[in-house]
Amino acid sequence: MRNYLLLTPGPLSTSESVREAMLQDWCTWDKDYNEGVVTPIRQGLLHLAGLDADRYTSVLLQGSGTYCVEATLGAAVKPTDKLLILANGAYGKRMAQIADYYRLPYVLVSLHETELITGQTVRKALAGIPGITHLAMVHSETTTGLLNPIEEAAEAIRGKNITFIVDAMSSFGGIPIDLPKLGIDFLVSSANKCIQGVPGFGFVIARKDKLAATRGNARSLSLDLYAQWEAMEKGGGKWRFTSPTHVVHAFYQAMKELEQEGGIAARYERYKQNHRTLVDGMRRLGFRTLLPDEAQGPVITSFLYPQADFDFNRFYGLLKEKGFVIYPGKISDADTFRIGNIGDIFPEDMERLLEAIRSIR
Ligand SMILES: *Cc1c(COP(=O)(O)O)cnc(C)c1O
């Protein structure tokens, strides 16, 4: 019962059982919902990440992933702080846009979109910019598919009393992330990426003491992360404003399916296998990837146009007729298109896609 397979990294193809979980209506403040669905989701997120509920907590917030990035930056960075944003793609730059709107004191270090943010990048930035209190960066840069080595950034700020904010939107749930080891204070992700739910809310996993310290900092009512957390804690899972009930139910089902699959480690293996199948097959068909393999993550891949007069719209349309929806490229200095391999997608689907591409080339 699928119109097509979404080979885009969110919204992505969900399982039928996740979609079925939306076939009923629920009351947004009833305890069956708050205690029976929202609270287990909040606990489940910590469990998935292997975190101790004494030190870490999770907050859910309406909207897409960007709303949660905005809520986090708006809460965590005070006017007296200094935020370092390291960017190598559109999502990193979006954090700087948020900082502009909020008039946060920040410095943006922008790298080329094919260049990794390494330990060296961080050390160099810190050496050149005194007084940094917060570091924000993207883990899996969906702009290109690049995977930043956050463990190197973590190492570079260790012991420096710098709050570490990670946009793990397109990696959390699909790539293992050890928050305590990396010293991540705020990790942001959303329902419609690697946990394989549908769009409608995002979530923040935070060190409890760091989140508690943001009380009164927010400059937006609806995006007040602390107030949202407080309401959920005191109200047993209550959201401050109307929650996307159907989406939340679908997410709960998606979380159960992630556990059944074997957790994050197992999903990571499947995504890597999908990715390997895709890239090997595309290379056999004569396509080249934008990124070198060392910089490439297992979530989405940018492919260069095979020839200068490549007609992407025609390619897109023909693939859609065959049941596959792909993504245009998102960088300015190379002609690319992107194919995602996260979601309810398996190596066989990648094989079918490759066959479809072979037949239309
Ligand atoms: C999807 C995504 C976001 C959030 O984008 P929305 O359109 O707000 O959902 C942020 N950062 C990264 C890296 C993403 O992949």
Side-chain angles (χ1 to χ4, degrees):
M1 280 280 292
R2 259 180 180 150
N3 40 356
Y4 38 60
L5 264 195
L6 277 171
L7 300 175
T8 57
L12 37 63
S13 287
T14 54
S15 68
E16 196 164 315
S17 33
V18 163
R19 296 194 300 279
E20 267 168 12
M22 292 185 284
L23 291 177
Q24 259 174 41
D25 306 311
W26 292 274
C27 178
T28 187
W29 52 263
D30 185 86
K31 77 172 176 30
D32 290 350
Y33 173 69
N34 287 329
E35 290 174 14
V37 181
V38 180
T39 300
I41 286 177
R42 292 186 59 220
Q43 291 165 345
L45 287 171
L46 299 183
H47 178 72
L48 262 178
L51 297 171
D52 175 356
D54 288 336
R55 286 186 67 214
Y56 292 86
T57 188
S58 64
V59 199
L60 318 183
L61 186 69
Q62 296 93 332
S64 78
T66 303
Y67 292 58
C68 284
V69 176
E70 180 167 338
T72 302
L73 292 178
V77 186
K78 292 202 282 287
T80 49
D81 292 329
K82 195 159 171 187
L83 168 68
L84 170 63
I85 300 170
L86 297 175
N88 51 356
Y91 294 102
K93 286 190 190 139
R94 189 176 294 174
M95 295 203 269
Q97 269 179 299
I98 293 169
D100 279 332
Y101 268 77
Y102 281 70
R103 299 199 171 84
L104 300 177
Y106 80 96
V107 179
L108 168 67
V109 174
S110 203
L111 276 58
H112 191 263
E113 282 150 325
T114 56
E115 201 184 336
L116 288 171
I117 296 168
T118 62
Q120 182 59 24
T121 318
V122 181
R123 283 190 295 274
K124 212 174 120 196
L126 291 180
I129 313 158
I132 294 299
T133 57
H134 293 64
L135 168 63
M137 65 182 283
V138 174
H139 185 207
S140 164
E141 235 318 343
T142 323
T143 308
T144 53
L146 173 153
L147 188 68
N148 282 311
I150 43 172
E151 48 304 326
E152 289 190 21
E155 187 55 41
I157 61 170
R158 193 178 308 283
K160 294 194 158 62
N161 202 20
I162 292 173
T163 298
F164 194 15
I165 301 169
V166 177
D167 169 346
M169 209 69 67
S170 68
S171 56
F172 183 76
I175 300 177
I177 303 172
D178 188 335
L179 280 87
K181 190 169 162 213
L182 300 177
I184 296 174
D185 297 298
F186 295 90
L187 177 144
V188 188
S189 191
S190 78
N192 58 287
K193 302 243 165 137
C194 297
I195 304 212
Q196 298 181 189
V198 302
F201 74 95
F203 55 88
V204 180
I205 299 178
R207 273 261 306 264
K208 241 182 203 173
D209 54 345
K210 293 278 180 150
L211 182 57
T214 68
R215 180 158 187 256
N217 290 352
R219 275 138 284 178
S220 157
L221 170 72
S222 52
L223 298 182
D224 186 336
L225 196 65
Y226 180 90
Q228 182 85 346
W229 179 53
E230 191 180 42
M232 286 190 169
E233 287 286 309
K234 291 191 175 155
K238 191 180 174 305
W239 302 55
R240 284 178 305 156
F241 310 120
T242 303
S243 74
T245 48
H246 300 77
V247 173
V248 173
H249 259 269
F251 187 77
Y252 191 33
Q253 176 61 27
M255 276 181 84
K256 289 180 190 162
E257 292 177 13
L258 174 52
E259 290 283 3
Q260 281 156 13
E261 185 172 345
I264 293 174
R267 182 154 295 180
Y268 180 47
E269 289 307 316
R270 173 164 63 85
Y271 285 173
K272 280 197 295 192
Q273 221 188 326
N274 287 348
H275 177 256
R276 206 60 269 152
T277 307
L278 171 71
V279 171
D280 290 350
M282 288 294 277
R283 283 181 176 154
R284 277 198 296 275
L285 292 173
F287 288 91
R288 286 188 303 131
T289 58
L290 170 74
L291 298 173
D293 289 352
E294 312 82 72
Q296 177 69 55
V299 167
I300 183 170
T301 310
S302 297
F303 293 97
L304 296 162
Y305 282 9
Q307 67 271 345
D309 63 350
F310 178 69
D311 185 347
F312 175 74
N313 288 330
R314 177 178 166 274
F315 186 69
Y316 176 91
L318 289 173
L319 276 183
K320 188 174 160 191
E321 274 172 29
K322 291 184 178 290
F324 302 97
V325 166
I326 64 166
Y327 245 17
K330 201 174 178 161
I331 65 167
S332 42
D333 60 0
D335 285 327
T336 58
F337 62 89
R338 293 176 293 167
I339 301 181
N341 55 256
I342 60 173
D344 190 40
I345 306 276
F346 300 85
E348 310 82 86
D349 297 311
M350 294 287 115
E351 297 285 4
R352 287 195 302 114
L353 168 75
L354 291 164
E355 184 48 41
I357 292 176
R358 201 185 56 78
S359 72
I360 62 172
R361 272 211 73 205

